[in-house]
Amino acid sequence: MTEASLMRTNTEHEANRVLFRIVHEVAVGYAGADVAQVVAVLRRRLVDVPGLDDHGFLRIAEEISVGRDPSGL
């Protein structure tokens, strides 16, 4: 594996760790909250995380609103 490939893999891994950690924190703090409130918090906390579209935010928020932690942590 080339050095550039390793750096890209490490960057992607770190981005995923940040994403899962934030989703976990939101899940703990907002379990059972209204979906719209959870979406707003996720959008605010994940502003710089690439790859999440409106559907992704909604799907995660729906899980959190029923008390699930979609982060797997």
Side-chain angles (χ1 to χ4, degrees):
M1 197 177 274
T2 68
E3 184 175 337
S5 180
L6 283 173
M7 288 176 56
R8 183 174 48 251
T9 300
N10 287 340
T11 301
E12 290 170 2
H13 178 74
E14 188 58 32
N16 284 333
R17 284 184 45 169
V18 169
L19 171 66
F20 284 97
R21 181 180 47 78
I22 291 171
V23 169
H24 175 70
E25 290 171 1
V26 173
V28 169
Y30 291 87
D34 181 67
V35 172
Q37 181 183 14
V38 179
V39 167
V41 171
L42 288 170
R43 285 187 188 282
R44 189 171 55 249
R45 298 281 311 272
L46 297 173
V47 70
D48 293 327
V49 177
L52 274 179
D53 58 8
D54 291 338
H55 179 71
F57 280 113
L58 182 59
R59 187 174 41 85
I60 293 168
E62 287 171 342
E63 290 289 315
I64 292 171
S65 73
V66 296
R68 294 190 191 113
D69 181 354
S71 74
L73 298 179

